[in-house]
Amino acid sequence: MTAPLRAERLTVAYEDRDVVHDLDLEIPRGQVTAIVGANGCGKSTLLKALARLLKPKRGTVLLDGRAISEQPTKDVAKRLGILPQSPVAPDGLQVEDLVARGRHPHQTLLRQWSPADEAAVRHALEATAMADLRDRAVDELSGGQRQRAWIAMTLAQETEVLLLDEPTTFLDLAHQIDVLDLLHDLVARHGRTVVMVLHDLNQACRYADHLVALREGRVHVAGAPRDVVDETFVREVLGLPAQVVEDPVTGTPLCLPLGRREREARSTPEPARASTPAA
C-alpha cells in the first residue's frame, strides 16, 4: 500500500536558518501518525511543509505520488485537510456555518451548494458529536467543543489525509482524551489517515499506530510505539531521564519521567546493613 504523503530530501528554512534538514518520511495510509520531539526540533515546521503552507528550501513533498507544489490548490484541498494551532473563527459564526466552509474546495461558479454538501456537513457534525450545537456560535463553545467544531470542518472536506498541529493544546485532560478518541475513531471506522503533532509522549504512544520522532530537524527514529520507545528513546529525543514501563490499561509504552529527586535517590547507595552476630 503506497503512502499518501511522502517527503524526499526535504529541507525547510526560516530566512537563513534551516529548521528541517534533508528529511525523508513516509506517512502510512489508514493509520494515526504522531510526530513527537523536543521544543524547537521542527515538528510544526514539518507539518506545515507537508500541508504546503511552507515552501521547501530543497526537496519535495509528494501527495499520492505527485509533487504537491505542482498540483492545483483545489485538488490538494480535496485530498488533504489541515488544522493549525489555535484557529480563530469570525465573531458570531455558527458551528454549522464553520463546518460548511469545509465544502468550499468542492464548489465552483457552476456548482454551488448541493445535496452532497448538505450530507457531508451533516455527517461531519454527527461524527464529532456536534449536531446538537450546530446553531451555537463558535466563540461561545468550551475549548473541547470548539476543537471538535474545527475538526468537523476538516471532516466536511472529505479528505483522506488530515494534518493537525497540536490538536490538544489548551484543553483540559478530559477534552484531550475526547479529541484523541475522535481522531482514532476516524481512522478505525472511516479509513482516514491522520497526522498530528503531539507534545505528550504517553498520549502519542496510546493513540498512534506510527511514531515519527524528530531530533534537531531530522527523523531520529520512526516506527510503532512498542518497537521504538524505551529509556534510550526518551533520553535522546526529549533529553529526559525516564523509566518506560508497559501501560497497564493499553499495553503501550508508558513514560515515567525521573526528576532530580528520583535521579539522586537512584544514585545514592543504600546504607550497608549491620551483620547479625552468629548464635
Side-chain angles (χ1 to χ4, degrees):
M1 187 179 293
T2 59
L5 199 59
R6 192 164 78 246
E8 294 181 349
R9 307 292 300 274
L10 184 69
T11 297
V12 186
Y14 291 108
E15 297 181 350
D16 295 329
R17 184 173 66 91
D18 290 354
V19 179
V20 171
H21 309 271
D22 199 29
L23 180 147
D24 292 321
L25 176 67
E26 285 195 0
I27 300 299
R29 190 183 301 274
Q31 294 187 16
V32 177
T33 294
I35 302 174
V36 300
N39 288 342
C41 70
K43 301 186 297 296
S44 294
T45 299
L46 172 60
L47 198 77
K48 290 175 183 177
L50 293 176
R52 207 172 71 168
L53 299 180
L54 286 177
K55 183 178 180 180
K57 181 178 178 180
R58 290 186 300 275
T60 307
V61 174
L62 301 173
L63 176 62
D64 293 328
R66 296 174 52 208
I68 195 171
S69 60
E70 299 175 0
Q71 299 185 41
T73 298
K74 272 203 168 183
D75 288 352
V76 172
K78 289 177 183 177
R79 303 205 301 279
L80 186 152
I82 174 71
L83 182 60
Q85 289 186 41
S86 306
V88 178
D91 290 343
L93 184 71
Q94 291 184 332
V95 168
E96 187 170 20
D97 293 333
L98 173 68
V99 177
R101 294 186 175 202
R103 300 303 298 166
H104 288 177
H106 300 272
Q107 297 173 347
T108 66
L109 290 175
L110 299 178
R111 180 192 176 283
Q112 295 297 310
W113 195 255
S114 71
D117 296 322
E118 189 72 32
V121 170
R122 183 175 62 253
H123 173 74
L125 288 167
E126 291 171 353
T128 54
M130 292 298 291
D132 291 342
L133 299 174
R134 64 197 313 150
D135 297 326
R136 290 276 300 277
V138 176
D139 51 13
E140 295 176 356
L141 301 176
S142 69
Q145 292 169 337
R146 194 177 305 122
Q147 194 72 322
R148 292 208 310 272
W150 282 102
I151 292 173
M153 186 194 73
T154 64
L155 288 185
Q157 283 183 244
E158 294 187 323
T159 62
E160 178 195 353
V161 182
L162 298 177
L163 306 180
L164 304 102
D165 194 357
E166 300 184 25
T168 59
T169 299
F170 306 127
L171 301 183
D172 61 34
L173 184 57
H175 286 126
Q176 290 177 31
I177 300 304
D178 188 29
V179 167
L180 292 170
D181 281 340
L182 167 62
L183 295 173
H184 183 271
D185 288 347
L186 292 177
V187 172
R189 298 179 184 177
H190 304 286
R192 303 295 177 91
T193 298
V194 169
V195 185
M196 55 183 173
V197 170
L198 282 180
H199 272 300
D200 190 313
L201 179 60
N202 289 331
Q203 289 183 351
C205 288
R206 177 173 284 199
Y207 284 93
D209 305 292
H210 185 73
L211 280 187
V212 175
L214 297 189
R215 183 181 179 188
E216 297 179 352
R218 294 179 171 86
V219 176
H220 182 69
V221 66
R226 286 184 177 90
D227 296 336
V228 299
V229 176
D230 56 16
E231 285 86 354
T232 300
F233 173 100
V234 179
R235 184 177 64 253
E236 293 179 349
V237 173
L238 299 178
L240 178 68
Q243 182 177 353
V244 175
V245 300
E246 183 178 286
D247 189 316
V249 176
T250 62
T252 53
L254 179 65
C255 173
L256 304 175
L258 299 178
R260 177 172 52 81
R261 289 183 301 172
E262 291 80 16
R263 296 197 302 272
E264 290 175 352
R266 284 190 165 201
S267 62
T268 301
E270 293 186 6
R273 293 184 179 180
S275 59
T276 301

